[in-house]
Amino acid sequence: MITVTYLDHSGFAVTTPEAVMVFDYYKDPNRKLEKVLKDNPSKKVVFFVSHHHPDHFNTSIFELAQDRNPTYVLANDIFSRLVPKKGISVAWMSAGDVIEQIPGTKQVKAYGSTDEGVSFAVTLPDGEVIFHAGDLNDWHWSEESTVREIERAEAKFKTIVNRIAEDISEVKIAMFPVDARMGADFAKGAEIFLEKVKVDNFFPMHFWGEPQKACDFASYVPEGLPTKCYCLDKPGFSVEIK
């Protein structure tokens, strides 16, 4: 059983049989991470940070769960001066890096991003894969971008997604941006990702205040896919996945 708890924005706590994995902690208005940790006192704690943007990286993570000796998996674009020099376990990652010593995992691989930092594919000991996109997306604004800019953005995005699809036959859980600020093409990246990568359970994120669009799955999840979609549209919501 895996429990996915939405913290806020792109932040999730994913509880597996072996560990509590916290992705892109930004804020936690309902203090759900505290409860998750309390309910899983014997599990390892791992913080993943995809990049340095303040809506994905909050230095308070270096104060959380300190009684649990957490591990930090950080994108290499994060300023090292923001990271405590002593007393913590840190693994730095750039796109293409693979690490096999992270607690609660079989392997962590970093893929590229179309903005800053990396995206993460975390392979669990049983072989199942959890994917957190960070800011990997088909970022363009069709009402403002030129045709050439749109083509470049989509080509860059598809190159990374194709690489993921080649490496990973199936993703158990995917957390991916669906950002309504992008206008008409707000979910195009998610649509492409789901067409190319087999995803069992899909969680939109990076709402920026408009989760109702992100949760209208019928508008962008390709018809006929067996993907289950979950709308954790309020901080603190959670779901259990078998």
Side-chain angles (χ1 to χ4, degrees), residues 113-115 136-141 145-161 182 188-189 192:
S113 171
T114 43
D115 194 350
L136 171 66
N137 198 6
D138 185 5
W139 294 114
H140 69 267
W141 282 254
S145 304
T146 67
V147 172
R148 188 173 181 83
E149 288 171 339
I150 292 172
E151 289 175 347
R152 284 178 175 174
E154 190 163 303
K156 182 179 180 181
F157 173 68
K158 285 184 175 179
T159 296
I160 297 172
V161 173
M182 295 174 64
K188 190 171 184 180
I192 292 170

mmCIF file of all heavy atoms in Angstrom, residues 113-115 136-141 145-161 182 188-189 192:
data_model
loop_
_atom_site.group_PDB
_atom_site.id
_atom_site.type_symbol
_atom_site.label_atom_id
_atom_site.label_comp_id
_atom_site.label_asym_id
_atom_site.label_seq_id
_atom_site.Cartn_x
_atom_site.Cartn_y
_atom_site.Cartn_z
ATOM 1 N N SER A 113 14.596 18.722 -17.132
ATOM 2 C CA SER A 113 13.451 19.595 -16.926
ATOM 3 C C SER A 113 13.430 20.602 -18.068
ATOM 4 O O SER A 113 14.471 20.904 -18.659
ATOM 5 C CB SER A 113 13.562 20.326 -15.586
ATOM 6 O OG SER A 113 12.564 21.315 -15.464
ATOM 7 N N THR A 114 12.259 21.132 -18.371
ATOM 8 C CA THR A 114 12.162 22.186 -19.377
ATOM 9 C C THR A 114 12.193 23.567 -18.741
ATOM 10 O O THR A 114 11.986 24.568 -19.413
ATOM 11 C CB THR A 114 10.874 22.021 -20.197
ATOM 12 O OG1 THR A 114 9.795 21.705 -19.308
ATOM 13 C CG2 THR A 114 11.029 20.899 -21.217
ATOM 14 N N ASP A 115 12.446 23.598 -17.437
ATOM 15 C CA ASP A 115 12.658 24.864 -16.739
ATOM 16 C C ASP A 115 13.967 24.748 -15.971
ATOM 17 O O ASP A 115 15.029 24.746 -16.559
ATOM 18 C CB ASP A 115 11.472 25.169 -15.823
ATOM 19 C CG ASP A 115 11.463 26.604 -15.321
ATOM 20 O OD1 ASP A 115 12.475 27.314 -15.518
ATOM 21 O OD2 ASP A 115 10.462 27.036 -14.726
ATOM 22 N N LEU A 136 9.136 19.945 -15.087
ATOM 23 C CA LEU A 136 9.123 19.387 -16.440
ATOM 24 C C LEU A 136 7.721 19.541 -17.017
ATOM 25 O O LEU A 136 6.751 19.008 -16.473
ATOM 26 C CB LEU A 136 9.523 17.912 -16.410
ATOM 27 C CG LEU A 136 9.341 17.142 -17.727
ATOM 28 C CD1 LEU A 136 10.288 17.678 -18.796
ATOM 29 C CD2 LEU A 136 9.566 15.648 -17.505
ATOM 30 N N ASN A 137 7.603 20.279 -18.114
ATOM 31 C CA ASN A 137 6.305 20.494 -18.731
ATOM 32 C C ASN A 137 6.509 21.099 -20.117
ATOM 33 O O ASN A 137 7.601 21.577 -20.450
ATOM 34 C CB ASN A 137 5.453 21.440 -17.867
ATOM 35 C CG ASN A 137 3.969 21.386 -18.198
ATOM 36 O OD1 ASN A 137 3.526 20.563 -18.994
ATOM 37 N ND2 ASN A 137 3.208 22.279 -17.596
ATOM 38 N N ASP A 138 5.462 21.097 -20.896
ATOM 39 C CA ASP A 138 5.470 21.762 -22.200
ATOM 40 C C ASP A 138 5.087 23.225 -21.976
ATOM 41 O O ASP A 138 3.968 23.645 -22.233
ATOM 42 C CB ASP A 138 4.475 21.071 -23.136
ATOM 43 C CG ASP A 138 4.508 21.629 -24.552
ATOM 44 O OD1 ASP A 138 5.365 22.490 -24.825
ATOM 45 O OD2 ASP A 138 3.683 21.212 -25.371
ATOM 46 N N TRP A 139 6.072 23.983 -21.473
ATOM 47 C CA TRP A 139 5.797 25.363 -21.061
ATOM 48 C C TRP A 139 5.729 26.293 -22.268
ATOM 49 O O TRP A 139 6.744 26.599 -22.880
ATOM 50 C CB TRP A 139 6.886 25.872 -20.120
ATOM 51 C CG TRP A 139 6.965 25.192 -18.797
ATOM 52 C CD1 TRP A 139 7.988 24.408 -18.344
ATOM 53 C CD2 TRP A 139 6.013 25.240 -17.729
ATOM 54 N NE1 TRP A 139 7.728 23.951 -17.075
ATOM 55 C CE2 TRP A 139 6.515 24.451 -16.675
ATOM 56 C CE3 TRP A 139 4.770 25.871 -17.577
ATOM 57 C CZ2 TRP A 139 5.832 24.279 -15.472
ATOM 58 C CZ3 TRP A 139 4.084 25.692 -16.372
ATOM 59 C CH2 TRP A 139 4.618 24.912 -15.339
ATOM 60 N N HIS A 140 4.530 26.715 -22.603
ATOM 61 C CA HIS A 140 4.365 27.794 -23.566
ATOM 62 C C HIS A 140 2.961 28.378 -23.412
ATOM 63 O O HIS A 140 2.069 27.739 -22.854
ATOM 64 C CB HIS A 140 4.588 27.323 -25.014
ATOM 65 C CG HIS A 140 3.530 26.416 -25.525
ATOM 66 N ND1 HIS A 140 3.625 25.038 -25.455
ATOM 67 C CD2 HIS A 140 2.324 26.671 -26.102
ATOM 68 C CE1 HIS A 140 2.543 24.493 -25.979
ATOM 69 N NE2 HIS A 140 1.724 25.458 -26.383
ATOM 70 N N TRP A 141 2.795 29.584 -23.875
ATOM 71 C CA TRP A 141 1.516 30.282 -23.789
ATOM 72 C C TRP A 141 1.067 30.555 -25.216
ATOM 73 O O TRP A 141 1.590 31.448 -25.888
ATOM 74 C CB TRP A 141 1.672 31.582 -23.002
ATOM 75 C CG TRP A 141 1.738 31.362 -21.532
ATOM 76 C CD1 TRP A 141 0.754 31.626 -20.639
ATOM 77 C CD2 TRP A 141 2.819 30.806 -20.770
ATOM 78 N NE1 TRP A 141 1.152 31.268 -19.359
ATOM 79 C CE2 TRP A 141 2.415 30.764 -19.407
ATOM 80 C CE3 TRP A 141 4.097 30.315 -21.083
ATOM 81 C CZ2 TRP A 141 3.224 30.279 -18.391
ATOM 82 C CZ3 TRP A 141 4.907 29.826 -20.074
ATOM 83 C CH2 TRP A 141 4.473 29.804 -18.758
ATOM 84 N N SER A 145 3.031 33.204 -27.127
ATOM 85 C CA SER A 145 4.244 32.680 -27.752
ATOM 86 C C SER A 145 4.114 32.668 -29.268
ATOM 87 O O SER A 145 3.014 32.509 -29.819
ATOM 88 C CB SER A 145 4.519 31.257 -27.252
ATOM 89 O OG SER A 145 4.613 31.217 -25.845
ATOM 90 N N THR A 146 5.258 32.809 -29.938
ATOM 91 C CA THR A 146 5.268 32.676 -31.393
ATOM 92 C C THR A 146 5.208 31.202 -31.769
ATOM 93 O O THR A 146 5.450 30.316 -30.933
ATOM 94 C CB THR A 146 6.541 33.293 -31.984
ATOM 95 O OG1 THR A 146 7.673 32.517 -31.563
ATOM 96 C CG2 THR A 146 6.715 34.745 -31.532
ATOM 97 N N VAL A 147 4.902 30.921 -33.021
ATOM 98 C CA VAL A 147 4.862 29.537 -33.493
ATOM 99 C C VAL A 147 6.216 28.875 -33.283
ATOM 100 O O VAL A 147 6.297 27.713 -32.858
ATOM 101 C CB VAL A 147 4.457 29.487 -34.982
ATOM 102 C CG1 VAL A 147 4.605 28.067 -35.528
ATOM 103 C CG2 VAL A 147 3.031 29.979 -35.160
ATOM 104 N N ARG A 148 7.278 29.594 -33.557
ATOM 105 C CA ARG A 148 8.625 29.044 -33.393
ATOM 106 C C ARG A 148 8.926 28.733 -31.925
ATOM 107 O O ARG A 148 9.509 27.696 -31.599
ATOM 108 C CB ARG A 148 9.663 30.030 -33.941
ATOM 109 C CG ARG A 148 11.081 29.474 -33.989
ATOM 110 C CD ARG A 148 12.010 30.451 -34.700
ATOM 111 N NE ARG A 148 13.370 29.952 -34.779
ATOM 112 C CZ ARG A 148 13.807 29.113 -35.693
ATOM 113 N NH1 ARG A 148 12.970 28.664 -36.620
ATOM 114 N NH2 ARG A 148 15.054 28.703 -35.713
ATOM 115 N N GLU A 149 8.512 29.618 -31.035
ATOM 116 C CA GLU A 149 8.720 29.381 -29.606
ATOM 117 C C GLU A 149 7.937 28.166 -29.133
ATOM 118 O O GLU A 149 8.439 27.356 -28.333
ATOM 119 C CB GLU A 149 8.301 30.619 -28.807
ATOM 120 C CG GLU A 149 9.246 31.796 -28.934
ATOM 121 C CD GLU A 149 8.698 33.063 -28.326
ATOM 122 O OE1 GLU A 149 7.461 33.179 -28.158
ATOM 123 O OE2 GLU A 149 9.512 33.961 -28.016
ATOM 124 N N ILE A 150 6.727 28.017 -29.626
ATOM 125 C CA ILE A 150 5.910 26.857 -29.256
ATOM 126 C C ILE A 150 6.544 25.561 -29.756
ATOM 127 O O ILE A 150 6.623 24.564 -29.030
ATOM 128 C CB ILE A 150 4.480 27.012 -29.825
ATOM 129 C CG1 ILE A 150 3.757 28.159 -29.117
ATOM 130 C CG2 ILE A 150 3.691 25.711 -29.679
ATOM 131 C CD1 ILE A 150 2.424 28.516 -29.736
ATOM 132 N N GLU A 151 7.023 25.591 -30.986
ATOM 133 C CA GLU A 151 7.653 24.391 -31.560
ATOM 134 C C GLU A 151 8.905 24.007 -30.780
ATOM 135 O O GLU A 151 9.150 22.824 -30.528
ATOM 136 C CB GLU A 151 7.992 24.642 -33.025
ATOM 137 C CG GLU A 151 6.761 24.709 -33.934
ATOM 138 C CD GLU A 151 7.113 25.085 -35.360
ATOM 139 O OE1 GLU A 151 8.265 25.533 -35.589
ATOM 140 O OE2 GLU A 151 6.246 24.924 -36.246
ATOM 141 N N ARG A 152 9.709 24.991 -30.414
ATOM 142 C CA ARG A 152 10.933 24.714 -29.653
ATOM 143 C C ARG A 152 10.607 24.137 -28.284
ATOM 144 O O ARG A 152 11.250 23.179 -27.834
ATOM 145 C CB ARG A 152 11.752 25.997 -29.505
ATOM 146 C CG ARG A 152 12.500 26.420 -30.760
ATOM 147 C CD ARG A 152 13.233 27.720 -30.509
ATOM 148 N NE ARG A 152 14.068 28.109 -31.641
ATOM 149 C CZ ARG A 152 14.728 29.254 -31.719
ATOM 150 N NH1 ARG A 152 14.644 30.134 -30.730
ATOM 151 N NH2 ARG A 152 15.475 29.531 -32.772
ATOM 152 N N ALA A 153 9.625 24.737 -27.600
ATOM 153 C CA ALA A 153 9.250 24.269 -26.265
ATOM 154 C C ALA A 153 8.757 22.824 -26.313
ATOM 155 O O ALA A 153 9.143 21.988 -25.488
ATOM 156 C CB ALA A 153 8.174 25.181 -25.681
ATOM 157 N N GLU A 154 7.923 22.533 -27.315
ATOM 158 C CA GLU A 154 7.372 21.186 -27.412
ATOM 159 C C GLU A 154 8.435 20.162 -27.795
ATOM 160 O O GLU A 154 8.440 19.037 -27.283
ATOM 161 C CB GLU A 154 6.227 21.162 -28.423
ATOM 162 C CG GLU A 154 5.454 19.861 -28.407
ATOM 163 C CD GLU A 154 4.105 19.983 -29.075
ATOM 164 O OE1 GLU A 154 3.315 20.836 -28.636
ATOM 165 O OE2 GLU A 154 3.847 19.220 -30.029
ATOM 166 N N ALA A 155 9.347 20.539 -28.664
ATOM 167 C CA ALA A 155 10.409 19.614 -29.070
ATOM 168 C C ALA A 155 11.317 19.279 -27.885
ATOM 169 O O ALA A 155 11.685 18.109 -27.683
ATOM 170 C CB ALA A 155 11.230 20.228 -30.202
ATOM 171 N N LYS A 156 11.666 20.289 -27.101
ATOM 172 C CA LYS A 156 12.507 20.053 -25.924
ATOM 173 C C LYS A 156 11.807 19.141 -24.927
ATOM 174 O O LYS A 156 12.402 18.197 -24.379
ATOM 175 C CB LYS A 156 12.862 21.385 -25.265
ATOM 176 C CG LYS A 156 13.769 21.265 -24.048
ATOM 177 C CD LYS A 156 14.090 22.639 -23.470
ATOM 178 C CE LYS A 156 14.995 22.513 -22.241
ATOM 179 N NZ LYS A 156 15.285 23.844 -21.656
ATOM 180 N N PHE A 157 10.536 19.406 -24.708
ATOM 181 C CA PHE A 157 9.753 18.605 -23.772
ATOM 182 C C PHE A 157 9.646 17.156 -24.251
ATOM 183 O O PHE A 157 9.881 16.214 -23.484
ATOM 184 C CB PHE A 157 8.367 19.224 -23.626
ATOM 185 C CG PHE A 157 7.403 18.410 -22.818
ATOM 186 C CD1 PHE A 157 7.593 18.237 -21.457
ATOM 187 C CD2 PHE A 157 6.287 17.822 -23.406
ATOM 188 C CE1 PHE A 157 6.699 17.487 -20.698
ATOM 189 C CE2 PHE A 157 5.390 17.080 -22.664
ATOM 190 C CZ PHE A 157 5.600 16.917 -21.306
ATOM 191 N N LYS A 158 9.328 16.960 -25.522
ATOM 192 C CA LYS A 158 9.158 15.603 -26.040
ATOM 193 C C LYS A 158 10.462 14.809 -26.007
ATOM 194 O O LYS A 158 10.441 13.584 -25.802
ATOM 195 C CB LYS A 158 8.610 15.654 -27.462
ATOM 196 C CG LYS A 158 7.137 16.012 -27.539
ATOM 197 C CD LYS A 158 6.627 15.963 -28.971
ATOM 198 C CE LYS A 158 5.129 16.188 -29.045
ATOM 199 N NZ LYS A 158 4.625 16.161 -30.436
ATOM 200 N N THR A 159 11.589 15.466 -26.182
ATOM 201 C CA THR A 159 12.878 14.769 -26.110
ATOM 202 C C THR A 159 13.067 14.134 -24.740
ATOM 203 O O THR A 159 13.488 12.972 -24.620
ATOM 204 C CB THR A 159 14.032 15.748 -26.406
ATOM 205 O OG1 THR A 159 13.915 16.215 -27.749
ATOM 206 C CG2 THR A 159 15.385 15.063 -26.233
ATOM 207 N N ILE A 160 12.741 14.885 -23.698
ATOM 208 C CA ILE A 160 12.893 14.368 -22.332
ATOM 209 C C ILE A 160 11.866 13.267 -22.065
ATOM 210 O O ILE A 160 12.202 12.204 -21.512
ATOM 211 C CB ILE A 160 12.753 15.508 -21.306
ATOM 212 C CG1 ILE A 160 13.865 16.536 -21.505
ATOM 213 C CG2 ILE A 160 12.796 14.947 -19.879
ATOM 214 C CD1 ILE A 160 13.699 17.798 -20.676
ATOM 215 N N VAL A 161 10.622 13.498 -22.461
ATOM 216 C CA VAL A 161 9.567 12.511 -22.213
ATOM 217 C C VAL A 161 9.845 11.214 -22.965
ATOM 218 O O VAL A 161 9.640 10.115 -22.430
ATOM 219 C CB VAL A 161 8.187 13.081 -22.598
ATOM 220 C CG1 VAL A 161 7.113 12.007 -22.499
ATOM 221 C CG2 VAL A 161 7.835 14.256 -21.693
ATOM 222 N N MET A 182 -1.408 28.865 -18.136
ATOM 223 C CA MET A 182 -0.928 28.730 -19.511
ATOM 224 C C MET A 182 -2.022 28.921 -20.552
ATOM 225 O O MET A 182 -1.754 28.872 -21.750
ATOM 226 C CB MET A 182 -0.260 27.366 -19.693
ATOM 227 C CG MET A 182 0.995 27.193 -18.860
ATOM 228 S SD MET A 182 1.650 25.516 -18.957
ATOM 229 C CE MET A 182 2.086 25.410 -20.690
ATOM 230 N N LYS A 188 -1.556 20.549 -22.088
ATOM 231 C CA LYS A 188 -0.982 19.854 -23.233
ATOM 232 C C LYS A 188 0.202 18.980 -22.827
ATOM 233 O O LYS A 188 0.382 17.873 -23.329
ATOM 234 C CB LYS A 188 -0.546 20.857 -24.299
ATOM 235 C CG LYS A 188 -0.161 20.192 -25.604
ATOM 236 C CD LYS A 188 0.051 21.196 -26.713
ATOM 237 C CE LYS A 188 0.335 20.494 -28.036
ATOM 238 N NZ LYS A 188 0.551 21.463 -29.139
ATOM 239 N N GLY A 189 1.026 19.476 -21.909
ATOM 240 C CA GLY A 189 2.162 18.681 -21.447
ATOM 241 C C GLY A 189 1.717 17.387 -20.795
ATOM 242 O O GLY A 189 2.287 16.324 -21.044
ATOM 243 N N ILE A 192 0.534 14.920 -23.485
ATOM 244 C CA ILE A 192 1.648 14.281 -24.190
ATOM 245 C C ILE A 192 2.322 13.245 -23.304
ATOM 246 O O ILE A 192 2.627 12.126 -23.736
ATOM 247 C CB ILE A 192 2.665 15.346 -24.650
ATOM 248 C CG1 ILE A 192 2.048 16.234 -25.740
ATOM 249 C CG2 ILE A 192 3.956 14.693 -25.153
ATOM 250 C CD1 ILE A 192 2.883 17.450 -26.087
#
